[in-house]
Amino acid sequence: MSYSIKVLSSYRKRLIRLTPMLFFLYVVNFLDRVNLSYAIDAGMFQDIGAPANLASLIAGIASAMFFVAYAIPQVFTNLKINTIGIRKIFALAFGLWGIITILTGFVTDVPEMYALRFFLGLAEAPFYAGTMFFLGIWFSREERGLANGFFNAAIPVAGIFGGLIAGSIFTVYHDYPGWRYLFIIEGILALISIPLLYVVLSDFPDDAKWLSKSEKEELDSSILNEEKNKPTKVSWRAALRDRDVILYVLIYFFGVTALYGYTIWLPSIISSFSHVSAAESSFLSDIPYIVAAIALIFILRYSDRSGNRKILTFYIFFIAFAGLALSAFTERIPDLSFVLFTISAIGIFTFLPVFWTMPQEALTREGASAAIGLINALGNLGGVAGPIIVGGLESLTHSFVSGVYSMAAFALIAGLITLMIKKAR
């Protein structure tokens, strides 16, 4: 598409104003979601009384409690964002989960840990789906791929920072009380984010004093034309029953199952396969995230240039499948296995921005707000399945090999279902 100078100027304003802040918020969000993975490898659950032979299963259940709660308020929270805006909901969410994360640093037993992870899931529920909807009303279809990609790049970047932070804390304070300081420090970071998001973000384009009247009109016109030409023009209730929406839920479920099986157990799998300490595995965990971050740049450029989101999403899932399966197969050759495990991160961490462009482009505004909430809510139940399956298989077999094979299978299933989507480019 050939943009006018006026539209291009507006796009740059919106991109520069909004996406760095959203990126930072997602880094904070993802750190508070997966800091548990580093704590698990540092022996957190043994420290709070979990039996050694069941520690992996109990840790997987604790991780899963987050996603059980995460699913509860999704659809209706997103409908509220459509009416009252993003800042008040996000400020409340960041405040609550910052406090909960800090309290996790003082946990003393497994039931407390289960409760805190459950409440953390409730607190974080509005963030991701809310941001996907937010990007959908601030950026047109031609602009959205880059905006989505920049936002979702926070996952591998958060992984890089998470590994560095955890590795540094464990090096200075050792595994214990290092994991306690990890939660406290990252919880404080969430609280610091609240005044920043309130000052920088604007709820709706009409509220943005930093856009001129003509720039607002250009954006409104672009979004309105997109709404008129979207293939799925239904109410939010009908959108929840749409065939493709149901398939999106399944794709996201299996993709997220692999994603959180990977992220929650990444340091522990590296420790198991490579026989290194918690501090060393935290630093080594940065390598898959770095590779994924670099790959994401090229994948997003190709996605926007080709416009074929469906086939690209399938290929991304296939990379995850092949890398994971071959990594498990070569587990007795640690260096090769680690390389293949790192390659799989390209698929694990880059499917999100390409995947989310499909429902954003297919559904009208009212339908999108509810459908994205539903996809995110039910799909994220994969975050229940992934950690429990990998942790349970490790407790049963005393090896992560079966768990890595299971993640490979989930990635392949997600890719195959993607090919069944009808209303997608």
Side-chain angles (χ1 to χ4, degrees), residues 224-288:
L224 182 60
N225 287 335
E226 182 181 341
E227 292 283 304
K228 290 178 180 177
N229 293 317
K230 283 182 175 180
T232 307
K233 300 176 182 179
V234 294
S235 70
W236 70 267
R237 290 181 178 85
L240 301 185
R241 300 190 299 270
D242 184 80
R243 174 188 178 276
D244 277 0
V245 170
I246 294 169
L247 291 178
Y248 286 135
V249 169
L250 293 174
I251 295 164
Y252 202 50
F253 172 82
F254 287 111
V256 168
T257 300
L259 171 66
Y260 283 104
Y262 193 101
T263 53
I264 293 298
W265 293 106
L266 174 59
S268 299
I269 291 171
I270 291 174
S271 291
S272 174
F273 283 13
S274 303
H275 309 291
V276 295
S277 69
E280 291 170 323
S281 69
S282 296
F283 288 125
L284 286 172
S285 296
D286 279 347
I287 296 175

Side-chain angles (χ1 to χ4, degrees), residues 128-366:
Y128 189 88
T131 303
M132 288 295 99
F133 172 68
F134 181 78
L135 291 173
I137 64 174
W138 275 92
F139 296 94
S140 67
R141 182 175 65 185
E142 291 79 7
E143 302 165 340
R144 202 170 292 137
L146 181 59
N148 277 1
F150 194 83
F151 173 67
N152 281 285
I155 292 181
V157 172
I160 295 168
F161 280 112
L164 292 174
I165 293 169
S168 299
I169 290 173
F170 295 154
T171 298
V172 175
Y173 296 104
H174 307 291
D175 295 354
Y176 188 88
W179 62 261
R180 293 192 181 275
Y181 289 124
L182 178 66
F183 288 112
I184 293 168
I185 290 169
E186 293 182 353
I188 291 171
L189 188 58
L191 298 180
I192 293 171
S193 304
I194 297 172
L196 296 177
L197 73 89
Y198 224 88
V199 170
V200 174
L201 298 180
S202 299
D203 291 318
F204 303 102
D206 287 345
D207 302 327
K209 296 179 180 179
W210 42 273
L211 285 178
S212 68
K213 182 179 179 180
S214 62
E215 287 171 336
K216 293 177 185 179
E217 290 172 351
E218 287 277 358
L219 178 59
D220 286 343
S221 175
S222 178
I223 298 296
L224 182 60
N225 287 335
E226 182 181 341
E227 292 283 304
K228 290 178 180 177
N229 293 317
K230 283 182 175 180
T232 307
K233 300 176 182 179
V234 294
S235 70
W236 70 267
R237 290 181 178 85
L240 301 185
R241 300 190 299 270
D242 184 80
R243 174 188 178 276
D244 277 0
V245 170
I246 294 169
L247 291 178
Y248 286 135
V249 169
L250 293 174
I251 295 164
Y252 202 50
F253 172 82
F254 287 111
V256 168
T257 300
L259 171 66
Y260 283 104
Y262 193 101
T263 53
I264 293 298
W265 293 106
L266 174 59
S268 299
I269 291 171
I270 291 174
S271 291
S272 174
F273 283 13
S274 303
H275 309 291
V276 295
S277 69
E280 291 170 323
S281 69
S282 296
F283 288 125
L284 286 172
S285 296
D286 279 347
I287 296 175
Y289 286 114
I290 291 170
V291 170
I294 294 170
L296 185 60
I297 297 170
F298 296 98
I299 287 171
L300 290 173
R301 289 181 63 185
Y302 177 78
S303 175
D304 280 347
R305 188 169 61 248
S306 70
N308 196 336
R309 321 290 193 187
K310 182 167 72 173
I311 296 299
L312 180 58
T313 302
F314 168 76
Y315 287 143
I316 288 169
F317 278 127
F318 189 82
I319 291 170
F321 157 72
L324 287 166
L326 291 172
S327 175
F329 184 74
T330 59
E331 179 257 347
R332 294 181 181 275
I333 312 172
D335 290 345
L336 177 59
S337 181
F338 180 73
V339 169
L340 292 166
F341 196 64
T342 297
I343 290 171
S344 72
I346 296 172
I348 292 290
F349 293 116
T350 64
F351 85 88
L352 288 168
V354 183
F355 166 82
W356 277 113
T357 56
M358 291 191 287
Q360 284 175 327
E361 291 175 356
L363 293 160
T364 54
R365 177 166 171 169
E366 183 188 5

